[in-house]
Amino acid sequence: MDAFYASVEWLRYPQLRGLPMVIGGGRRREDELIARLNQQRPERVWTAADLADIPVDFFPLLRDYVGRGVITTASYAARQFGIGSAMGLMKAARLCPRAILLPADFDEYRRCSRAFKRVILDIAPVMEDRGIDEVYIDFTQVPGGQREGGRVLARLLQKSIFDATGLSCSIGVAPNKLLAKMASEFNKPNGISVVHEADVQTLIWPLPCRKINGIGPKTDARLQGHGIHTIGELAARERAWLIAQFGNSHGAWLHDAAWGRDERPVVTESEPVSLSRETTFERDLHAVHDRAELGAVFTWLAEAVAADLQRKGYAGKTIGIKLRFDDFRIATRDQTVAEPTQDARRIRQVAGQCLKRVDLSRRLRLLGVRVGSLVRLDGQPAAPDQVSNHDLPLFQQAPAAPEK
DNA sequence: TCTGGGGTCCTCGGGCCC
DNA sequence: TCTGGGGCCCGAGGACCC
């Protein structure tokens, strides 16, 4: 199989290309940005078509941001300063105060995401949806897919995606998904990179282990502890030694990945395993002292999950909760009921029983409700756009706390 | 000065049954 | 009667991803 990995780049404002920029610190709709622009820069009438004309000095700076929040994503220029996803905004502001801060508009991202995937499906129908901004493509059967080792098709995809969405995209071409994803990193943004099997030693082995999709901070730290820093050093270890250190499955996978071996197919259809809603409170709440507030949020979460289930046509048997305490420890509890449900009151009731099994002496930072072991309900087929696991309303707000 | 929301998959331990 | 599997399910937690 030959695979493409394609991911779009969220640069909606070409005038910011090359500048340090982060997205995060709350939500705002793009049309609100335009409304503010019309207020502050009345020399012309601004519309959504004028994004590229917005003066750079109109955008807020990271150094002026006050409050909680994390970075959703950062431009490559911002990453040069050590800024990355999930970093606290205050910390990022110290690293690069002059970085531009854009609020996230997830409705807009989802709209672009659908357009991006529609374009690809029209050209290369064997596509695996991997998130809001990335896909894998098996282009073995696409007519002309092999021309110039895939570059011709990759260029066609880039142009079609740009015409439909205004977004650039980076594409990696390789014999499998693992290598295609790594290849796409070589030439960002808006690049095309081809990695052949024979290139693994020269192109892949010098990279740090962390570049392998699936090696996170924990595994990387363990590898470093063994003196393994690069993929080449990982590949040099005996398979049996890796299995002894990391277990049968993980150890064998590490060895295969280091040698660029990956047999996973491009999966075009998948059913969700679970649906959940969670929210972080503005301030940490105590189960006894903030009982009313907590109860209201808990009910809202159950209702939100139930609404998601109903909208997508699923019901689930395993109902669970997730808590994050003020010290960032996480606790989960779940309970499986006899019949799948999508009823908010039933979910709230079982989730409440789960909550009773947790020691609640510490303050809570986050509360979540999850429904798993999903079954599809007959007669309620979900629309294709709604089936995707990644097409959830990501940052919907919890209700305001009730007045005391 | 902090650290979001929504997913997947894996491992491990305990209970239950054969 | 006791002990020791193995298979399966459930629940908790961890790692990782976008």
Side-chain angles (χ1 to χ4, degrees), chain A residues 40 99 108 134 170 199 203 206 220 275 290 320 336 361:
Chain A
Q40 294 181 15
E108 181 62 19
E134 53 176 60
S170 291
D199 300 328
L203 296 179
D220 191 44
L275 291 177
D290 304 302
T336 299
S361 46

Side-chain angles (χ1 to χ4, degrees), chain A residues 114-354:
Chain A
R114 282 192 286 268
F116 153 64
K117 288 162 193 168
R118 251 194 317 270
V119 166
I120 291 175
L121 282 172
D122 282 346
I123 297 171
V126 185
M127 183 196 86
E128 177 175 338
D129 185 347
R130 291 296 298 183
I132 198 162
D133 63 350
E134 53 176 60
V135 298
Y136 289 106
I137 303 157
D138 180 343
F139 66 98
T140 317
Q141 304 299 324
V142 176
Q146 311 301 323
R147 288 173 59 199
E148 293 181 34
R151 284 181 193 275
V152 172
L153 180 57
R155 280 197 292 269
L156 171 66
L157 287 171
Q158 280 184 331
K159 181 174 186 315
S160 308
I161 289 163
F162 184 81
D163 290 346
T165 66
L167 297 175
S168 65
C169 113
S170 291
I171 296 181
V173 189
N176 59 50
K177 296 203 289 188
L178 178 85
L179 291 175
K181 167 126 183 154
M182 294 173 89
S184 79
E185 298 274 327
F186 285 142
N187 203 4
K188 277 180 176 248
N190 201 30
I192 296 171
S193 298
V194 182
V195 169
H196 298 103
E197 229 169 300
D199 300 328
V200 168
Q201 301 194 18
T202 53
L203 296 179
I204 303 296
W205 281 7
L207 301 174
C209 298
R210 193 70 173 75
K211 290 288 178 188
I212 291 176
N213 187 244
I215 296 184
K218 302 287 182 181
T219 305
D220 191 44
R222 282 182 67 189
L223 289 170
Q224 304 245 10
H226 291 293
I228 300 168
H229 304 96
T230 67
I231 299 172
E233 288 165 354
L234 182 60
R237 295 296 173 121
E238 293 279 346
R239 189 180 183 85
W241 182 85
L242 286 168
I243 287 172
Q245 298 297 323
F246 291 90
N248 259 328
S249 161
H250 197 202
W253 176 80
L254 284 169
H255 190 254
D256 286 339
W259 284 85
R261 292 195 276 261
D262 176 22
E263 303 279 307
R264 294 170 303 161
V266 169
V267 178
T268 55
E269 286 183 29
S270 69
E271 292 283 344
V273 173
S274 68
L275 291 177
S276 66
R277 287 296 189 109
E278 61 188 55
T279 187
T280 297
F281 308 124
E282 302 258 314
R283 61 182 181 88
D284 300 342
L285 299 182
H286 192 275
V288 176
H289 308 134
D290 304 302
R291 191 188 163 89
E293 205 168 336
L294 219 40
V297 173
F298 200 30
T299 301
W300 181 84
L301 289 167
E303 288 169 351
V305 176
D308 291 342
L309 288 165
Q310 290 160 22
R311 187 161 41 82
K312 292 162 187 276
Y314 291 95
K317 282 206 308 182
T318 304
I319 294 159
I321 57 166
K322 172 180 169 182
L323 308 174
R324 174 137 59 200
F325 297 101
D326 54 3
D327 61 357
F328 265 75
R329 274 186 315 110
I330 290 172
T332 63
R333 296 290 184 274
D334 47 47
Q335 186 177 325
T336 299
V337 297
E339 291 298 321
T341 183
Q342 52 170 206
D343 177 65
R345 283 168 57 193
R346 177 72 172 139
I347 293 167
R348 172 68 169 79
Q349 176 210 351
V350 179
Q353 288 166 7
C354 292

